Amino acid sequence: MTARFVAVGAGRMGRGIAISFAYAGHRIALVDLRQRTPEAWQKLREEAMAEVRGALQGLAKLGALAEARIPEIAARVEMVDAAGAPSALAAAELVFEGVPETMEAKREAFAFINKHCRSDAILTSTTSSILVTQLAEIVERPERFLNMHWLNPAYVIPVVELSTHPGTSAEVLARTRALMEGIGKLPVVCGAAPGYIVPRLQALVMNEAARMVEEGVATAEEIDKATRYGMGLRFAALGVVEFIDFGGCDILHHASREMAGSIDPHRYQAPAIVGRMMEEGRLGLKTGSGFYDYEGRDVGAYRLDVLSRTLGMLRHAGLWKPPADGTLS
């Protein structure tokens, strides 16, 4: 049976994508476009398949699958060399480009993909640094192209960020979302912007954490404890924008003003949208509208749902305790 899916580039990202599809029951071709000696190809093949099996063994140790199923799942990943690449691409419905992060490498890879892929194939790039608008210029059918950013480890993290350009077909986007949802992923859509969604937010948080260590605000251990069980736990239960609405846009406005004045006026200045929402009285849940519209929503039920999500995270972390048996003296 021919694979419907192809990952071009047999490095870490390609292998992670291959595991994701194999785990979901699909055959996938992991294609290496480099011309290699037979010895070099055999070494790469063994290395890649060892990583696939190793990742599955890690999941088995954690109870995510029965160890006896590893050979069956790993066998769905087919390693394909440069000679076999044309036929693999000719059969693919969805192609993931994951070659090194240079325009030269991307241009060379897409020239090959353009030549051999089906006219109705969906093409994606897994780049983390090159905008979809730049890459669309080197694709023959840009209406069938978008960037798809996976978060490592690709076979574990559900979110995949789909970055579209103005010419991306709505039908192609819908089909891509459906294919990714079909393997258990959670696609989110964003425009052509550096850093997508998650890396852009992560960079701010990580830089500020490093800065706090540098300034002696707290140790790395204390900062990590605070982020895992304070900030991180809450943001696992509430999305970042939902969190603004839940607490109130005015809280963000005032906190930003104080920190901009005492720490850094540029890093902590609230964006213009926050000021506009303050002026319009759209403070979030407590006023009925904010980034979201709460008109007609059962606010009590919504608050209870948020509490349920939070308690679920606390229980998972082993941090929720039952009430005391009696009154303490």
Side-chain angles (χ1 to χ4, degrees), residues 237-256:
L238 277 163
V240 176
V241 180
E242 185 183 11
F243 188 82
I244 298 172
D245 271 5
F246 194 79
C249 185
D250 52 328
I251 293 177
L252 175 61
H253 171 79
H254 295 306
S256 298

PDB file of all heavy atoms in Angstrom, residues 237-256:
ATOM      1  N   ALA A 237      -5.401  25.559  32.286  1.00  0.00           N
ATOM      2  CA  ALA A 237      -6.848  25.518  32.505  1.00  0.00           C
ATOM      3  C   ALA A 237      -7.566  26.633  31.759  1.00  0.00           C
ATOM      4  O   ALA A 237      -8.724  26.477  31.362  1.00  0.00           O
ATOM      5  CB  ALA A 237      -7.154  25.620  34.001  1.00  0.00           C
ATOM      6  N   LEU A 238      -6.900  27.756  31.563  1.00  0.00           N
ATOM      7  CA  LEU A 238      -7.460  28.916  30.872  1.00  0.00           C
ATOM      8  C   LEU A 238      -6.480  29.376  29.801  1.00  0.00           C
ATOM      9  O   LEU A 238      -5.289  29.494  30.070  1.00  0.00           O
ATOM     10  CB  LEU A 238      -7.674  30.078  31.849  1.00  0.00           C
ATOM     11  CG  LEU A 238      -8.943  30.105  32.709  1.00  0.00           C
ATOM     12  CD1 LEU A 238      -8.737  31.068  33.860  1.00  0.00           C
ATOM     13  CD2 LEU A 238     -10.133  30.548  31.886  1.00  0.00           C
ATOM     14  N   GLY A 239      -6.970  29.657  28.599  1.00  0.00           N
ATOM     15  CA  GLY A 239      -6.106  30.240  27.580  1.00  0.00           C
ATOM     16  C   GLY A 239      -5.658  31.622  28.003  1.00  0.00           C
ATOM     17  O   GLY A 239      -6.279  32.264  28.865  1.00  0.00           O
ATOM     18  N   VAL A 240      -4.574  32.109  27.415  1.00  0.00           N
ATOM     19  CA  VAL A 240      -4.010  33.399  27.817  1.00  0.00           C
ATOM     20  C   VAL A 240      -5.016  34.533  27.640  1.00  0.00           C
ATOM     21  O   VAL A 240      -5.209  35.360  28.538  1.00  0.00           O
ATOM     22  CB  VAL A 240      -2.724  33.715  27.017  1.00  0.00           C
ATOM     23  CG1 VAL A 240      -2.202  35.099  27.362  1.00  0.00           C
ATOM     24  CG2 VAL A 240      -1.651  32.674  27.299  1.00  0.00           C
ATOM     25  N   VAL A 241      -5.684  34.586  26.491  1.00  0.00           N
ATOM     26  CA  VAL A 241      -6.641  35.670  26.237  1.00  0.00           C
ATOM     27  C   VAL A 241      -7.886  35.481  27.098  1.00  0.00           C
ATOM     28  O   VAL A 241      -8.443  36.437  27.637  1.00  0.00           O
ATOM     29  CB  VAL A 241      -6.996  35.741  24.741  1.00  0.00           C
ATOM     30  CG1 VAL A 241      -7.989  36.862  24.477  1.00  0.00           C
ATOM     31  CG2 VAL A 241      -5.738  35.955  23.905  1.00  0.00           C
ATOM     32  N   GLU A 242      -8.302  34.237  27.261  1.00  0.00           N
ATOM     33  CA  GLU A 242      -9.431  33.938  28.145  1.00  0.00           C
ATOM     34  C   GLU A 242      -9.116  34.389  29.575  1.00  0.00           C
ATOM     35  O   GLU A 242      -9.986  34.895  30.286  1.00  0.00           O
ATOM     36  CB  GLU A 242      -9.709  32.432  28.107  1.00  0.00           C
ATOM     37  CG  GLU A 242     -10.934  31.991  28.889  1.00  0.00           C
ATOM     38  CD  GLU A 242     -11.123  30.485  28.889  1.00  0.00           C
ATOM     39  OE1 GLU A 242     -10.198  29.765  28.458  1.00  0.00           O
ATOM     40  OE2 GLU A 242     -12.185  30.026  29.336  1.00  0.00           O
ATOM     41  N   PHE A 243      -7.864  34.218  29.966  1.00  0.00           N
ATOM     42  CA  PHE A 243      -7.428  34.611  31.309  1.00  0.00           C
ATOM     43  C   PHE A 243      -7.560  36.131  31.510  1.00  0.00           C
ATOM     44  O   PHE A 243      -7.927  36.598  32.586  1.00  0.00           O
ATOM     45  CB  PHE A 243      -5.977  34.170  31.521  1.00  0.00           C
ATOM     46  CG  PHE A 243      -5.478  34.351  32.919  1.00  0.00           C
ATOM     47  CD1 PHE A 243      -5.764  33.414  33.899  1.00  0.00           C
ATOM     48  CD2 PHE A 243      -4.712  35.455  33.267  1.00  0.00           C
ATOM     49  CE1 PHE A 243      -5.298  33.572  35.193  1.00  0.00           C
ATOM     50  CE2 PHE A 243      -4.247  35.624  34.553  1.00  0.00           C
ATOM     51  CZ  PHE A 243      -4.540  34.678  35.530  1.00  0.00           C
ATOM     52  N   ILE A 244      -7.239  36.899  30.458  1.00  0.00           N
ATOM     53  CA  ILE A 244      -7.395  38.364  30.548  1.00  0.00           C
ATOM     54  C   ILE A 244      -8.853  38.706  30.825  1.00  0.00           C
ATOM     55  O   ILE A 244      -9.165  39.482  31.733  1.00  0.00           O
ATOM     56  CB  ILE A 244      -6.943  39.052  29.246  1.00  0.00           C
ATOM     57  CG1 ILE A 244      -5.456  38.800  28.977  1.00  0.00           C
ATOM     58  CG2 ILE A 244      -7.213  40.563  29.321  1.00  0.00           C
ATOM     59  CD1 ILE A 244      -4.996  39.284  27.611  1.00  0.00           C
ATOM     60  N   ASP A 245      -9.752  38.118  30.061  1.00  0.00           N
ATOM     61  CA  ASP A 245     -11.179  38.380  30.239  1.00  0.00           C
ATOM     62  C   ASP A 245     -11.666  37.912  31.607  1.00  0.00           C
ATOM     63  O   ASP A 245     -12.504  38.565  32.233  1.00  0.00           O
ATOM     64  CB  ASP A 245     -11.980  37.673  29.155  1.00  0.00           C
ATOM     65  CG  ASP A 245     -12.175  38.511  27.907  1.00  0.00           C
ATOM     66  OD1 ASP A 245     -11.604  39.615  27.838  1.00  0.00           O
ATOM     67  OD2 ASP A 245     -12.893  38.058  26.990  1.00  0.00           O
ATOM     68  N   PHE A 246     -11.186  36.774  32.063  1.00  0.00           N
ATOM     69  CA  PHE A 246     -11.669  36.193  33.309  1.00  0.00           C
ATOM     70  C   PHE A 246     -11.336  37.094  34.497  1.00  0.00           C
ATOM     71  O   PHE A 246     -12.163  37.328  35.371  1.00  0.00           O
ATOM     72  CB  PHE A 246     -11.063  34.802  33.517  1.00  0.00           C
ATOM     73  CG  PHE A 246     -11.745  33.991  34.575  1.00  0.00           C
ATOM     74  CD1 PHE A 246     -12.936  33.340  34.294  1.00  0.00           C
ATOM     75  CD2 PHE A 246     -11.207  33.862  35.844  1.00  0.00           C
ATOM     76  CE1 PHE A 246     -13.583  32.578  35.264  1.00  0.00           C
ATOM     77  CE2 PHE A 246     -11.836  33.112  36.823  1.00  0.00           C
ATOM     78  CZ  PHE A 246     -13.032  32.454  36.531  1.00  0.00           C
ATOM     79  N   GLY A 247     -10.100  37.592  34.507  1.00  0.00           N
ATOM     80  CA  GLY A 247      -9.702  38.485  35.588  1.00  0.00           C
ATOM     81  C   GLY A 247     -10.151  39.917  35.361  1.00  0.00           C
ATOM     82  O   GLY A 247     -10.461  40.652  36.304  1.00  0.00           O
ATOM     83  N   GLY A 248     -10.167  40.331  34.119  1.00  0.00           N
ATOM     84  CA  GLY A 248     -10.559  41.697  33.771  1.00  0.00           C
ATOM     85  C   GLY A 248      -9.439  42.439  33.074  1.00  0.00           C
ATOM     86  O   GLY A 248      -8.283  42.433  33.536  1.00  0.00           O
ATOM     87  N   CYS A 249      -9.772  43.066  31.957  1.00  0.00           N
ATOM     88  CA  CYS A 249      -8.796  43.832  31.191  1.00  0.00           C
ATOM     89  C   CYS A 249      -8.208  44.971  32.020  1.00  0.00           C
ATOM     90  O   CYS A 249      -7.057  45.361  31.829  1.00  0.00           O
ATOM     91  CB  CYS A 249      -9.481  44.372  29.942  1.00  0.00           C
ATOM     92  SG  CYS A 249      -8.394  45.232  28.809  1.00  0.00           S
ATOM     93  N   ASP A 250      -8.995  45.496  32.975  1.00  0.00           N
ATOM     94  CA  ASP A 250      -8.509  46.582  33.820  1.00  0.00           C
ATOM     95  C   ASP A 250      -7.356  46.134  34.704  1.00  0.00           C
ATOM     96  O   ASP A 250      -6.439  46.915  34.984  1.00  0.00           O
ATOM     97  CB  ASP A 250      -9.647  47.154  34.672  1.00  0.00           C
ATOM     98  CG  ASP A 250     -10.397  46.079  35.448  1.00  0.00           C
ATOM     99  OD1 ASP A 250     -10.509  44.941  34.951  1.00  0.00           O
ATOM    100  OD2 ASP A 250     -10.874  46.380  36.549  1.00  0.00           O
ATOM    101  N   ILE A 251      -7.365  44.866  35.129  1.00  0.00           N
ATOM    102  CA  ILE A 251      -6.265  44.348  35.955  1.00  0.00           C
ATOM    103  C   ILE A 251      -4.974  44.329  35.145  1.00  0.00           C
ATOM    104  O   ILE A 251      -3.910  44.739  35.625  1.00  0.00           O
ATOM    105  CB  ILE A 251      -6.607  42.944  36.495  1.00  0.00           C
ATOM    106  CG1 ILE A 251      -7.771  43.049  37.495  1.00  0.00           C
ATOM    107  CG2 ILE A 251      -5.380  42.306  37.155  1.00  0.00           C
ATOM    108  CD1 ILE A 251      -8.237  41.718  38.034  1.00  0.00           C
ATOM    109  N   LEU A 252      -5.068  43.863  33.902  1.00  0.00           N
ATOM    110  CA  LEU A 252      -3.888  43.860  33.037  1.00  0.00           C
ATOM    111  C   LEU A 252      -3.411  45.289  32.787  1.00  0.00           C
ATOM    112  O   LEU A 252      -2.201  45.565  32.807  1.00  0.00           O
ATOM    113  CB  LEU A 252      -4.220  43.175  31.705  1.00  0.00           C
ATOM    114  CG  LEU A 252      -3.124  43.208  30.641  1.00  0.00           C
ATOM    115  CD1 LEU A 252      -1.864  42.495  31.124  1.00  0.00           C
ATOM    116  CD2 LEU A 252      -3.628  42.587  29.331  1.00  0.00           C
ATOM    117  N   HIS A 253      -4.346  46.188  32.555  1.00  0.00           N
ATOM    118  CA  HIS A 253      -4.002  47.589  32.289  1.00  0.00           C
ATOM    119  C   HIS A 253      -3.221  48.199  33.448  1.00  0.00           C
ATOM    120  O   HIS A 253      -2.142  48.790  33.248  1.00  0.00           O
ATOM    121  CB  HIS A 253      -5.283  48.385  32.042  1.00  0.00           C
ATOM    122  CG  HIS A 253      -5.081  49.870  31.962  1.00  0.00           C
ATOM    123  ND1 HIS A 253      -4.603  50.491  30.835  1.00  0.00           N
ATOM    124  CD2 HIS A 253      -5.278  50.852  32.892  1.00  0.00           C
ATOM    125  CE1 HIS A 253      -4.519  51.798  31.059  1.00  0.00           C
ATOM    126  NE2 HIS A 253      -4.927  52.039  32.289  1.00  0.00           N
ATOM    127  N   HIS A 254      -3.728  48.047  34.663  1.00  0.00           N
ATOM    128  CA  HIS A 254      -3.090  48.654  35.829  1.00  0.00           C
ATOM    129  C   HIS A 254      -1.766  47.960  36.178  1.00  0.00           C
ATOM    130  O   HIS A 254      -0.785  48.630  36.531  1.00  0.00           O
ATOM    131  CB  HIS A 254      -4.038  48.639  37.029  1.00  0.00           C
ATOM    132  CG  HIS A 254      -5.256  49.486  36.832  1.00  0.00           C
ATOM    133  ND1 HIS A 254      -5.187  50.817  36.489  1.00  0.00           N
ATOM    134  CD2 HIS A 254      -6.586  49.186  36.940  1.00  0.00           C
ATOM    135  CE1 HIS A 254      -6.414  51.311  36.382  1.00  0.00           C
ATOM    136  NE2 HIS A 254      -7.272  50.344  36.648  1.00  0.00           N
ATOM    137  N   ALA A 255      -1.736  46.632  36.064  1.00  0.00           N
ATOM    138  CA  ALA A 255      -0.496  45.903  36.366  1.00  0.00           C
ATOM    139  C   ALA A 255       0.592  46.279  35.369  1.00  0.00           C
ATOM    140  O   ALA A 255       1.760  46.466  35.746  1.00  0.00           O
ATOM    141  CB  ALA A 255      -0.759  44.399  36.322  1.00  0.00           C
ATOM    142  N   SER A 256       0.215  46.424  34.096  1.00  0.00           N
ATOM    143  CA  SER A 256       1.186  46.798  33.071  1.00  0.00           C
ATOM    144  C   SER A 256       1.731  48.196  33.330  1.00  0.00           C
ATOM    145  O   SER A 256       2.934  48.449  33.183  1.00  0.00           O
ATOM    146  CB  SER A 256       0.538  46.741  31.679  1.00  0.00           C
ATOM    147  OG  SER A 256       0.119  45.433  31.375  1.00  0.00           O
TER     148      SER A 256
END
